[in-house]
């Protein structure tokens, strides 16, 4: 099992090149940055965990630019978005950004994506219907795969439609970087099982992680897919211990992503000591 590190990627956090180099040298497999282009000042959508929206949400930097800085400082570290809001960017420009990062990093990119939770943010930047966001994400991913693979890509869906175009660069592998869908509800999990390259759940939201993994792979098989081709990246929010990570490894988790935790998002000074501490667990995994 691999160990990844997640960060809010704010202006106050360790710089991406410094953080990435530290992670690679410590033995981490990957670095993951989330995405919010903006946060509406007036919004009706409640913050999912409850309470006030944490201040770091207002300070997030661009994940792709930051991951390019991370790529330039490393040679092996994989570069992930967790979670990218793919529907909140223009399709062609975003595909070119992802393909360019993939090329310049030597194929080290993983795209973790989701439908988002903030309806006002979503509606500020796209005409795609919020009520059909799961279908919209599926079509966004399928259209992007076409752009990154086909010589003269075209796509004709219910919500996304374009005739043949010339589009470069292509990705380093067919279909582009692997797409991992961060979803926890029944509809999202169903979509992940049907078309995503991976699933990215959160451990503390699952009543039983082992049962959740078994149920997910049952859905993958029902969709006519091979479970060995769909990896699970588990976002770990429970207190991290060697025994906990080993238990996740033993039930088939491909990768665990850890971070400083929501309660410490505004304490960048603890990031480097945390990396040093948890690096000691990597040889046991």
């Amino acid at each position: 099992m691999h160990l990844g590190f997640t960060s809010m990627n704010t202006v106050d956090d360790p710089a991406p090149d410094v953080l990435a180099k530290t992670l690679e040298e410590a033995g981490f497999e990957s670095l993951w940055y989330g995405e919010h282009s903006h946060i509406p000042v007036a919004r009706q959508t409640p913050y999912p965990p409850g309470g006030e929206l944490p201040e770091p949400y207002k300070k997030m930097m661009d994940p792709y630019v930051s991951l390019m800085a991370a790529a330039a400082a490393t040679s092996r570290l994989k570069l992930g978005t967790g979670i990218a809001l793919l529907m909140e960017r223009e399709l062609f420009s975003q595909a070119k950004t992802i393909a360019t990062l993939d090329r310049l990093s030597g194929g080290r990119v993983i795209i973790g994506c989701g439908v988002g939770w903030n309806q006002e943010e979503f509606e500020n930047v796209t005409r795609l219907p919020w009520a059909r966001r799961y279908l919209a994400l599926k079509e966004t991913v399928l259209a992007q795969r076409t752009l990154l693979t086909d010589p003269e890509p075209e796509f004709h869906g219910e919500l996304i439609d374009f005739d043949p175009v010339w589009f470069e660069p292509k990705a380093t592998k067919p279909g582009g970087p692997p797409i991992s869908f961060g979803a926890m509800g029944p509809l999202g999990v169903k979509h992940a099982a049907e078309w995503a390259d991976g699933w990215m759940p959160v451990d503390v939201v699952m009543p039983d992680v082992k049962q959740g993994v078994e149920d997910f792979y049952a859905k993958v098989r029902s969709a006519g897919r091979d479970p060995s081709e769909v990896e699970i990246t588990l976002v770990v929010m429970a207190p991290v211990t060697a025994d906990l990570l080993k238990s996740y490894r033993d039930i088939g988790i491909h990768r665990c992503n850890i971070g400083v935790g929501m309660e410490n998002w505004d304490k960048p000074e603890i990031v480097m000591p945390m990396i040093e501490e948890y690096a000691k667990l990597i040889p046991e995994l």
Side-chain angles (χ1 to χ4, degrees):
M1 186 182 75
H2 300 294
L3 197 61
F5 189 85
T6 66
S7 168
M8 283 290 280
N9 189 31
T10 74
V11 295
D12 300 319
D13 286 325
D17 56 339
V18 175
L19 179 58
K21 187 175 182 180
T22 300
L23 289 169
E24 184 170 85
E25 291 175 350
F28 281 74
E29 179 241 12
S30 49
L31 167 63
W32 299 74
Y33 282 146
E35 177 177 33
H36 282 280
S37 63
H38 70 287
I39 298 293
V41 173
R43 61 183 173 83
Q44 299 300 313
T45 308
Y47 179 52
E52 293 298 318
L53 182 79
E55 284 295 310
Y57 271 101
K58 304 174 185 178
K59 301 180 179 181
M60 295 174 72
M61 299 193 291
D62 183 277
Y64 301 107
V65 175
S66 297
L67 289 174
M68 187 64 251
T74 57
S75 60
R76 303 181 309 277
L77 192 73
K78 291 188 177 181
L79 312 160
T81 58
I83 298 290
L85 302 176
L86 297 181
M87 296 179 290
E88 296 187 17
R89 295 188 183 225
E90 192 278 322
L91 175 66
F92 292 91
S93 176
Q94 176 171 251
K96 188 172 289 283
T97 294
I98 291 172
T100 302
L101 175 60
D102 184 57
R103 283 277 176 179
L104 295 180
S105 69
R108 290 187 276 150
V109 177
I110 306 170
I111 301 297
C113 67
V115 298
W117 58 267
N118 191 323
Q119 183 174 351
E120 291 76 28
E121 175 187 353
F122 181 94
E123 293 176 343
N124 277 347
V125 294
T126 181
R127 292 179 180 270
L128 293 168
W130 173 256
R132 304 189 73 193
R133 59 194 179 277
Y134 288 94
L135 173 62
L137 181 61
K138 176 182 177 180
E139 290 194 1
T140 297
V141 169
L142 297 181
Q144 180 175 288
R145 284 174 174 166
T146 299
L147 288 169
L148 299 185
T149 301
D150 295 352
E152 294 186 5
E154 61 182 298
F155 187 84
H156 305 286
E158 291 185 49
L159 302 174
I160 295 175
D161 186 276
F162 58 86
D163 291 326
V165 298
W166 288 317
F167 180 91
E168 296 287 344
K170 302 303 179 187
T172 57
K173 57 181 74 70
I179 301 289
S180 190
F181 188 10
M184 299 296 295
L187 182 57
V189 174
K190 178 176 181 291
H191 272 268
E194 289 177 350
W195 54 258
D197 302 306
W199 180 42
M200 187 182 291
V202 179
D203 64 348
V204 296
V205 181
M206 304 169 75
D208 184 320
V209 176
K210 183 175 185 294
Q211 187 62 53
V213 168
E214 292 175 356
D215 292 345
F216 174 71
Y217 279 134
K219 289 180 173 64
V220 171
R221 285 188 289 270
S222 294
R225 306 178 66 197
D226 183 349
S228 68
E229 297 177 357
V230 184
E231 67 181 33
I232 296 178
T233 297
L234 185 65
V235 179
V236 179
M237 294 188 134
V240 178
T241 65
D243 287 343
L244 179 72
L245 295 178
K246 288 177 185 176
S247 73
Y248 291 157
R249 175 200 62 194
D250 293 344
I251 61 174
I253 302 297
H254 178 82
R255 175 188 300 108
C256 279
N257 285 353
I258 65 173
V260 297
M262 289 187 291
E263 70 280 4
N264 293 312
W265 278 350
D266 59 348
K267 299 176 183 177
E269 68 276 4
I270 74 172
V271 171
M272 295 307 187
M274 177 185 179
I275 291 171
E276 182 179 359
E277 181 66 25
Y278 288 131
K280 299 172 185 175
L281 304 179
I282 294 174
E284 301 182 50
L285 303 178

